[in-house]
Amino acid sequence: MKINKKIFAGLMTSVIALSGVSGLTNVNAKGVELTINYYSGAISDEAIAAAKEQYPDWKLNFTEQPAGDDFDTKLRTSLNSKSAADITAINSNIQDFKPYYEKFVNLAEYGSEDLKADFVEWKWDSTLAGEDGKYQMAFPLDIGPTALQYNKAAFEKAGLPTDPEEVSEKIKTYDDLMAAAEELKTKADVPMFRGIHDIFTPYAQGMTERVFDEDGKLTFANGQLKEAWDYAIQAKEKGYILNVRGNTGESVNATGEGLYGASIMASWGIADLRDADVKQEQWLVAKAPGNPSNNGGSYLAAIATTEHPKEAAELIMFLTNEENQKLNYTGKALFPTRKTLYTEEFLAYKDEALFGDYEYNKYFVESAENLKYIPLDVRESAALKYFEDQLQLVVDQDKDPEKAWEEAVKNVEVLAKQ
C-alpha cells in the first residue's frame, strides 16, 4: 500500500506515553508481565512493536488466536480462571459479555473518563455496563463503518455512473440499489450481490430498532427485520445474487475477478481487496444506501483476575491512543474509534494502489459520525443468526421463503423464553 507521507508524517516515530491520565503514573514498573490474547487481525504488528518499545521493562506476551466462536468460548471459560490472560480482545458482540461485566476490570477507576471526548460516542457508550451504566468493561479499539464498494467496470458496462460522488447521488436508498441491480443484470449480465448475507446483514445492521427491545421484549424490530428479509428474498428471486459466501477462497476469487457488482462493506473490507489482489480502480467506494451501519470492530478489556490491573489499564489506553490507531489503520485497515483522527488530512487520505486518486475515507467517517448507540440484548446475535441460516437454506436448497421465515421466528420465540 502506498502511504501519503504528508498525511502520516512522523507516524513511525516513538509513540507518546499516556501522561496526564489520572490513575496511571508508574509507566515502567519492573517485574510486570502481561499476557494479551487477541484474535487475528485485531492488532497490527506495528502497534505491538510500539507497545514493547514503550514498556521495555515489562514482559508483554501477545498471543494471536483464530477469530470466531472458539475465541469467545475460550474467553468465557477463562473468566473464572487464574490462568486467564490479563488483557483480551472482544469482538463487536460485546453485549454477549455484559452479563459478566464484573469479570472485567472497571477502566473508569483508572481515568478513562478523561479520554471520553476523543472517541466516537456510540462506540464509547457500548463499553459501559452495570445498572448505573458507569462500569467501563472495555476500551474501543476499532469500528467498522460501512460504505458501498462497487465494481467500476461492471457499472460502466451497465451505463451506471462510475464516479463515487455520482454513485452516491444515484444510489441513496435500498430501492435505488435494487433498481441499479436490475440495470446491472439486464445490461451487463452481472449479479449485483455476492451472497444473500451481503444484502440482509447490512440492512439489518441499519435498523433503528432491534429484535429485542431495551426491556428484553421480543419485537422483531417492529417490522424492520421483515423488511430486511423481504429485500434479500426479492434480490434472490430476481437473480441478482452470485451466491458466494464471504470469508472463503471462492469469495476472494469473485472479488478479484469482478464477478459481482457491489457490496455494502465495512471499512476493514479494504484489507480484503488487497488480499484479492485487485487492480487499481477495479473497485471504488461510495456512500452506502439507507441508514448508516456498522459491521465489526473490536475492544480491549482487562480480565479481573489480573495481578496488574493498573498496568493492564495503562497498556489498553496506550494501544488505543491516536498513534497506535494510525498504525492499526495503515497496517490492518482498522478504522479509528478516536474521532480526533477524523481530520481533513485523514479525509483526504488515498490508497493509490487500490483507488488511484479517489478519496474514500469521507464515506466511512460520515457513517461513523451518524451512528447512534442502540443497546443490544444478549440474545440479539443468536436471533439474527437463525434468520441468516434460514436465508442460506432458501438459496442453497430452494426452501420456501415463507416457511423459512416462520421457522426462524419459531426458533427466536423459543430463544426469547430462555
Side-chain angles (χ1 to χ4, degrees):
M1 179 180 67
K2 186 172 180 180
I3 298 176
N4 188 314
K5 294 180 180 179
K6 291 182 179 180
I7 294 173
F8 291 108
L11 186 62
M12 302 306 293
T13 58
S14 297
V15 184
I16 58 171
L18 277 168
S19 57
V21 179
S22 60
L24 301 177
T25 57
N26 195 5
V27 176
N28 255 326
K30 293 185 178 181
V32 173
E33 181 174 355
L34 297 172
T35 297
I36 304 95
N37 284 355
Y38 67 102
Y39 48 84
S40 301
I43 308 174
S44 68
D45 293 340
E46 293 82 1
I48 290 173
K52 291 181 177 180
E53 181 180 348
Q54 179 67 25
Y55 301 102
D57 293 329
W58 294 7
K59 185 176 181 181
L60 301 179
N61 306 309
F62 285 87
T63 305
E64 183 177 9
Q65 301 177 3
D69 293 339
D70 285 349
F71 185 92
D72 289 351
T73 300
K74 290 176 181 177
L75 175 55
R76 288 191 187 91
T77 303
S78 73
L79 291 178
N80 291 314
S81 172
K82 290 184 178 180
S83 62
D86 300 279
I87 295 172
T88 182
I90 298 177
N91 211 328
S92 56
N93 59 331
I94 192 172
Q95 73 275 3
D96 294 352
F97 294 92
K98 285 194 174 182
Y100 327 113
Y101 70 90
E102 291 181 313
K103 298 293 184 180
F104 299 93
V105 172
N106 183 6
L107 298 174
E109 295 178 357
Y110 298 96
S112 63
E113 187 69 19
D114 296 345
L115 302 172
K116 178 180 178 179
D118 294 346
F119 286 81
V120 177
E121 184 176 4
W122 60 268
K123 182 74 171 186
W124 183 274
D125 289 347
S126 70
T127 68
L128 304 177
E131 292 184 6
D132 59 1
K134 294 182 179 180
Y135 195 106
Q136 188 166 20
M137 60 177 287
F139 229 66
L141 182 58
D142 72 285
I143 54 178
T146 58
L148 183 70
Q149 165 190 299
Y150 64 95
N151 182 335
K152 182 180 178 182
F155 270 44
E156 185 174 28
K157 186 176 181 180
L160 293 166
T162 59
D163 178 81
E165 289 297 311
E166 294 178 5
V167 171
S168 301
E169 184 65 27
K170 182 175 179 62
I171 305 178
K172 290 183 176 181
T173 68
Y174 275 98
D175 286 342
D176 294 337
L177 183 61
M178 192 69 79
E182 173 64 20
E183 293 186 63
L184 201 65
K185 179 176 174 59
T186 57
K187 298 178 181 178
D189 195 26
V190 175
M192 178 65 84
F193 307 104
R194 179 181 57 181
I196 198 161
H197 291 172
D198 292 352
I199 311 167
F200 176 77
T201 299
Y203 200 124
Q205 288 169 338
M207 295 186 307
T208 57
E209 299 184 56
R210 309 309 302 176
V211 180
F212 296 89
D213 67 16
E214 291 188 40
D215 297 321
K217 180 182 177 182
L218 179 60
T219 66
F220 295 104
N222 289 315
Q224 292 184 42
L225 184 64
K226 189 60 163 63
E227 289 177 10
W229 175 279
D230 289 343
Y231 188 87
I233 293 298
Q234 182 184 3
K236 186 264 182 186
E237 292 179 342
K238 291 191 173 185
Y240 299 160
I241 298 175
L242 180 64
N243 194 22
V244 170
R245 301 193 191 196
N247 300 317
T248 63
E250 191 179 4
S251 172
V252 173
N253 180 68
T255 300
E257 296 296 323
L259 301 182
Y260 61 98
S263 68
I264 297 175
M265 71 164 184
S267 48
W268 45 261
I270 291 173
D272 294 338
L273 292 179
R274 296 187 194 123
D275 292 342
D277 197 27
V278 301
K279 301 178 182 66
Q280 186 186 62
E281 295 187 25
Q282 181 180 353
W283 295 87
L284 293 177
V285 177
K287 183 179 178 181
N291 295 329
S293 63
N294 181 79
N295 183 3
S298 307
Y299 305 82
L300 287 177
I303 298 178
T305 53
T306 179
E307 295 180 359
H308 304 287
K310 185 178 73 167
E311 289 81 5
E314 180 173 339
L315 181 58
I316 286 171
M317 293 181 200
F318 176 81
L319 287 168
T320 56
N321 70 17
E322 286 192 6
E323 295 302 319
N324 282 309
Q325 290 204 17
K326 287 179 182 178
L327 292 174
N328 286 337
Y329 174 73
T330 56
K332 292 287 187 181
L334 301 176
F335 211 78
T337 56
R338 283 182 177 262
K339 60 186 178 183
T340 49
L341 288 172
Y342 301 162
T343 61
E344 290 184 8
E345 291 80 9
F346 183 77
L347 291 172
Y349 175 71
K350 298 173 183 176
D351 185 329
E352 294 180 11
L354 285 180
F355 306 121
D357 199 42
Y358 288 104
E359 299 170 3
Y360 57 91
N361 271 343
K362 58 186 177 182
Y363 302 114
F364 294 119
V365 168
E366 184 177 352
S367 179
E369 291 184 330
N370 285 286
L371 282 161
K372 303 294 182 184
Y373 174 59
I374 301 176
L376 297 179
D377 190 278
V378 295
R379 298 163 293 182
E380 185 80 15
S381 297
L384 286 173
K385 191 173 188 310
Y386 282 124
F387 290 97
E388 291 167 353
D389 290 347
Q390 289 297 319
L391 278 173
Q392 198 62 52
L393 291 176
V394 171
V395 173
D396 292 343
Q397 301 178 16
D398 203 27
K399 185 171 182 176
D400 178 77
E402 285 305 313
K403 290 182 179 179
W405 169 264
E406 290 170 2
E407 186 167 339
V409 167
K410 289 179 181 178
N411 288 333
V412 175
E413 287 174 340
V414 172
L415 178 67
K417 296 175 182 178
Q418 296 177 359

